[in-house]
Amino acid sequence: MKKIIYIFSLVLVFCCATIQAQNYRTHKVKQGETIENIAKRYNVTPFDIYGLNPDSKKALRVNSVLIIPKSRISIEPKITVVKELTGFKEHKVKRRETLYSLSKKYNITEDDIKKHNPFLYSENLKKGDRLKIPLYKTSQKVEIVEAIKTYTVLPKEGKWRIAYKFGITMAELEALNPNMNEVLKVGEVINVPNIDLNEENTIDEAYSYYKVLPKEGFYRLKLKIGIEQTELEALNPGLEESGLKEGMILKIPFSPAVGEATDEASESLSLVDSITDYNTKHIVVMLPFRLNRVTFDSIADTKRQITNDPFLSRSLDFHSGVLVALDSLKKLGISLKADVYDTKNEISEVSRIISSNNFDDVDAVIGPLMPKNLDKVASSLRSSNIPVVSPITKDVQLYDNVIQSRPSDELLKNKIIAFVKLDTLSSHIMIISDSKNTSVSNMLKREFNYATQIHSRKDKKGKEANYVLVDDIKDNLKPGNNIVFLETQNIGFASNVTSILNSLIQEENIEELEEEISIVLATTNINSAFENDEVSNYNLSNLQFHFATISKAYNEDDNNTFVKAYENIYGVTPNKMAVRGFDLTMDVVLRLSTSDDLYMSVNETPQTEYVENKFAYKKKLFGGYYNDTVYLVKYDDLKIVEVKQ
């Protein structure tokens, strides 16, 4: 029995030594103690204790031993010495005694002696003086530094940025703030760990940031994002000691594809509740109506011209959305002045508009639609620092006063690649493309080097035939999950491939010894080929077709106020161009009404979202601003729905 006790003692000593070596300590729970007061005693958070003692969430048992982590608070407790006067002692000054020697003898200060012997302020100490020496009772007052402090949310800060800043996981931040809003607002006050300023992490835009998923280890991260454990530990001090934890935010080398892994993209602010400036806003809208080409001889001729002229048709649709937005903004109490100009899609007309009108008090210009005309407006108004917002154009010169609201194709591509990378370990990747998209196929192969590539077959003359055979795909599918990229702009090829893929989906059949084969379809470039009637929406739904897009379709069942207002005015449902006009106008004016100007709103408002579009702007180092957010959507039960990540 003594041996058993001895061995147990050795084990306990060894364990305690190990815990101390790893900067941990133990605490034996006493009657009446709670996790909260234990955490406060050791300057840690309750979540820190739960992380090392998961059973304590269920019950805190008396005499149970908790492992307490090292406190992240480096501020020492504040100790104040309190002196209480209890009486005096008489002292007759001897030869060679000084105030200094007396202060040391009685362990008091020279000022203490002078205070109770006022004559010493005007006379020197001399032999024979009789002094009153104060006697004190001293005690120490210890002020314990709290483990948690309050923090005011800054512009552009979402949950993941704050979690990274204070070195905690998303779950820990939410545990510290059980009533925290889903989307943080600037100025909101939340709880965070009370660490030194020099211990706070800073976001470096030259790097990407990754949120650790459940059950992810260093090996999986190496396969997914190609980064060794040693490199991760070097970029993230403290990671070697703590190890990977679900919800932890890691700093990693810059990667556009991985940069979307945090949840900041899902945090959209509603500016309707943040309006602070109700002064008149002056906006200008420039669109290529080309009304000089329209003849009004008959209603039929006018309708035909509207239908046949893409510039006029798109301009009218966009403008109809702008008008509904202006009405909605006025109902919010915002005073507006809006000028609409017909650019006729001519640079000369753009020049005439600018030279013939006063733009000095203009807060923002929306449009023109075409790149050459927008460049002319932006360059002409650049000296006045008037922001020019590009509504739909991809390729514009990003002068420092240009705000490009349409996200780039590169961002769309990176969004879907990032999504697929989140599931690469459990899925087989296949890339199917025609010859016009060989470069895209090769790019995807570099991203997923274990993927299988399949190319469109050729005819006897060696020309593109735009089809594949069932066996081309079937022979490369694997049991379990398969993700297939389809890269094409050819309607026939899209129809051929989606039909074959749909036919190869297979449920598990134990009796026939057939394994399940599931297929998810994706593309880096959504285009009209996938929207053609020849491509079955039933096939796309069965394949859970995933793609990134600049806008999502509104749900007709949501009873959207904009859609209802639009239908009441125009008698039809709004198309994408009309919705774009509404969303962009709402965003521009609301940003002007909640910030000093449109440029300031980029920093103060991380992301906004309206009916079908969202806007999150970033500034180029040498140039203007670009929209850095897109939607990830999929076909689901014959509807296109947003994929929540």
Side-chain angles (χ1 to χ4, degrees):
M1 183 66 182
K2 291 183 178 179
K3 287 185 177 180
I4 294 175
I5 295 173
Y6 175 70
I7 293 171
F8 178 80
S9 301
L10 285 178
V11 170
L12 185 61
V13 169
F14 177 76
C15 289
C16 290
T18 304
I19 289 170
Q20 293 293 338
Q22 293 178 346
N23 293 317
Y24 295 101
R25 68 182 74 183
T26 59
H27 175 84
K28 191 173 182 180
V29 179
K30 300 179 180 64
Q31 184 70 39
E33 285 188 318
T34 65
I35 287 292
E36 286 70 23
N37 57 39
I38 294 172
K40 187 173 183 179
R41 173 178 176 178
Y42 293 104
N43 287 337
V44 297
T45 69
F47 207 95
D48 292 328
I49 298 177
Y50 289 141
L52 294 173
N53 307 270
D55 290 342
S56 62
K57 287 184 178 180
K58 302 174 184 177
L60 194 61
R61 295 184 177 86
V62 176
N63 294 327
S64 63
V65 177
L66 298 176
I67 300 174
I68 309 296
K70 177 185 176 183
S71 174
R72 289 170 44 79
I73 302 174
S74 58
I75 305 172
E76 293 295 329
K78 184 178 179 181
I79 300 175
T80 306
V81 176
V82 180
K83 296 193 301 183
E84 180 184 351
L85 183 65
T86 58
F88 295 94
K89 177 180 180 179
E90 186 177 287
H91 177 87
K92 184 177 180 181
V93 178
K94 300 175 183 176
R95 186 169 173 267
R96 293 184 179 180
E97 282 187 325
T98 64
L99 285 176
Y100 177 76
S101 64
L102 291 175
S103 69
K104 294 301 179 184
K105 179 176 181 178
Y106 292 107
N107 194 27
I108 55 177
T109 67
E110 292 182 37
D111 285 337
D112 288 334
I113 300 174
K114 287 183 176 181
K115 181 180 178 181
H116 297 283
N117 301 274
F119 71 91
L120 292 176
Y121 286 113
S122 57
E123 301 176 15
N124 291 325
L125 186 68
K126 57 184 182 295
K127 179 183 176 182
D129 285 342
R130 294 186 178 276
L131 303 179
K132 292 169 61 179
I133 302 297
L135 302 176
Y136 295 105
K137 177 184 178 183
T138 61
S139 60
Q140 289 185 339
K141 181 182 178 183
V142 180
E143 295 181 28
I144 302 296
V145 180
E146 296 290 338
I148 298 170
K149 66 179 179 181
T150 57
Y151 177 77
T152 303
V153 178
L154 301 176
K156 295 188 77 174
E157 281 190 328
K159 290 182 181 178
W160 81 263
R161 285 178 179 263
I162 295 175
Y164 177 76
K165 186 172 188 175
F166 290 95
I168 57 178
T169 67
M170 300 277 289
E172 288 171 335
L173 179 64
E174 290 169 352
L176 290 175
N177 301 274
N179 298 317
M180 182 169 56
N181 294 320
E182 190 64 31
V183 177
L184 297 180
K185 294 183 179 180
V186 176
E188 185 174 340
V189 178
I190 61 174
N191 295 322
V192 295
N194 188 9
I195 60 176
D196 274 344
L197 287 176
N198 58 8
E199 289 187 346
E200 294 179 6
N201 297 318
T202 56
I203 299 293
D204 188 340
E205 299 297 343
Y207 289 84
S208 293
Y209 294 85
Y210 179 81
K211 183 171 71 174
V212 178
L213 301 178
K215 299 181 181 179
E216 270 191 328
F218 289 108
Y219 177 70
R220 180 166 185 174
L221 287 179
K222 178 184 176 182
L223 292 179
K224 183 184 290 185
I225 55 181
I227 302 175
E228 297 284 351
Q229 177 177 344
T230 52
E231 188 176 2
L232 283 173
E233 290 173 345
L235 288 172
N236 299 273
L239 178 60
E240 184 177 1
E241 180 179 332
S242 68
L244 291 173
K245 293 192 287 186
E246 177 184 345
M248 176 184 285
I249 306 299
L250 297 179
K251 180 179 181 181
I252 63 174
F254 179 75
S255 169
V258 178
E260 294 286 335
T262 61
D263 75 333
E264 185 177 56
S266 66
E267 299 184 358
S268 298
L269 294 178
S270 172
L271 296 180
V272 172
D273 301 325
S274 305
I275 299 172
T276 56
D277 183 1
Y278 290 90
N279 294 323
T280 301
K281 304 295 177 291
H282 186 184
I283 65 169
V284 168
V285 180
M286 294 187 178
L287 297 168
F289 294 101
R290 303 203 298 184
L291 294 176
N292 57 311
R293 298 188 177 199
V294 180
T295 58
F296 300 95
D297 295 337
S298 69
I299 294 177
D301 287 340
T302 305
K303 285 183 177 179
R304 184 166 55 254
Q305 285 179 294
I306 292 174
T307 303
N308 295 335
D309 185 341
F311 288 102
L312 177 57
S313 178
R314 289 164 72 84
S315 296
L316 288 173
D317 287 336
F318 188 88
H319 183 247
S320 67
V322 171
L323 292 177
V324 178
L326 296 179
D327 184 62
S328 299
L329 290 162
K330 288 177 181 177
K331 289 178 180 177
L332 292 173
I334 298 174
S335 177
L336 283 166
K337 179 184 178 184
D339 299 326
V340 181
Y341 297 108
D342 180 4
T343 66
K344 301 178 182 178
N345 196 32
E346 297 173 1
I347 292 182
S348 58
E349 181 63 16
V350 170
S351 299
R352 189 198 66 77
I353 291 170
I354 293 175
S355 61
S356 304
N357 296 277
N358 184 3
F359 280 75
D360 290 344
D361 67 341
V362 171
D363 294 299
V365 175
I366 300 175
L369 298 188
M370 304 308 291
K372 60 180 181 179
N373 297 323
L374 189 132
D375 289 351
K376 178 63 179 176
V377 173
S379 59
S380 300
L381 300 179
R382 191 178 181 184
S383 59
S384 302
N385 201 32
I386 297 173
V388 179
V389 184
S390 172
I392 60 171
T393 310
K394 291 183 184 179
D395 303 314
V396 297
Q397 178 70 35
L398 270 188
Y399 298 109
D400 47 16
N401 65 324
V402 171
I403 298 175
Q404 185 173 7
S405 69
R406 180 192 174 106
S408 67
D409 289 343
E410 187 73 10
L411 184 61
L412 293 168
K413 179 190 70 178
N414 289 336
K415 182 73 171 181
I416 189 66
I417 290 175
F419 167 74
V420 174
K421 280 193 171 183
L422 292 177
D423 194 32
T424 51
L425 285 188
S426 58
S427 300
H428 170 60
I429 309 296
M430 186 184 300
I431 307 163
I432 304 176
S433 69
D434 54 30
S435 59
K436 291 183 179 179
N437 288 274
T438 301
S439 60
V440 179
S441 175
N442 292 336
M443 177 276 295
L444 289 170
K445 177 66 175 175
R446 289 192 294 272
E447 292 286 346
F448 307 99
N449 53 23
Y450 46 85
T452 301
Q453 286 179 290
I454 299 174
H455 301 285
S456 170
R457 285 183 171 261
K458 301 184 183 301
D459 60 21
K460 293 180 180 179
K461 295 181 180 180
K463 293 183 179 180
E464 185 81 48
N466 289 315
Y467 75 90
V468 292
L469 299 176
V470 174
D471 288 343
D472 294 337
I473 298 176
K474 185 176 182 180
D475 292 345
N476 288 288
L477 288 175
K478 293 185 178 180
N481 299 325
N482 295 267
I483 298 178
V484 179
F485 282 99
L486 176 55
E487 304 300 328
T488 186
Q489 289 83 44
N490 184 277
I491 298 169
F493 191 52
S495 178
N496 164 247
V497 173
T498 53
S499 296
I500 293 174
L501 288 172
N502 185 58
S503 69
L504 294 173
I505 297 174
Q506 179 176 290
E507 294 184 1
E508 183 181 33
N509 189 324
I510 298 176
E511 293 180 0
E512 299 294 332
L513 299 178
E514 291 179 346
E515 296 183 84
E516 178 188 10
I517 295 177
S518 68
I519 302 173
V520 172
L521 181 65
T523 188
T524 63
N525 178 20
I526 184 66
N527 57 76
S528 58
F530 296 96
E531 299 168 353
N532 192 275
D533 291 340
E534 289 186 29
V535 180
S536 169
N537 283 341
Y538 288 98
N539 290 342
L540 294 178
S541 286
N542 289 339
L543 295 166
Q544 304 172 66
F545 180 40
H546 283 67
F547 58 92
T549 177
I550 66 172
S551 62
K552 65 174 183 179
Y554 63 84
N555 190 338
E556 295 180 2
D557 299 330
D558 286 347
N559 201 25
N560 187 282
T561 54
F562 160 69
V563 177
K564 287 178 62 178
Y566 193 94
E567 290 174 341
N568 289 336
I569 297 171
Y570 300 104
V572 294
T573 57
N575 60 21
K576 284 191 174 295
M577 199 66 178
V579 179
R580 184 78 177 175
F582 175 84
D583 286 354
L584 187 58
T585 305
M586 289 291 291
D587 188 60
V588 168
V589 177
L590 285 173
R591 285 177 180 270
L592 290 171
S593 303
T594 54
S595 296
D596 290 342
D597 55 41
L598 215 50
Y599 306 120
M600 285 293 293
S601 75
V602 171
N603 293 324
E604 295 175 350
T605 307
Q607 181 171 290
T608 54
E609 186 172 13
Y610 302 90
V611 180
E612 288 187 350
N613 301 273
K614 56 184 176 179
F615 308 94
Y617 294 110
K618 288 186 178 180
K619 189 181 186 305
K620 282 202 168 183
L621 184 60
F622 301 105
Y625 305 81
Y626 60 96
N627 191 358
D628 192 47
T629 185
V630 296
Y631 289 99
L632 181 66
V633 298
K634 70 174 181 177
Y635 274 73
D636 181 30
D637 195 21
L638 298 179
K639 292 182 180 179
I640 299 177
V641 300
E642 185 177 1
V643 178
K644 298 294 185 181
Q645 293 178 275

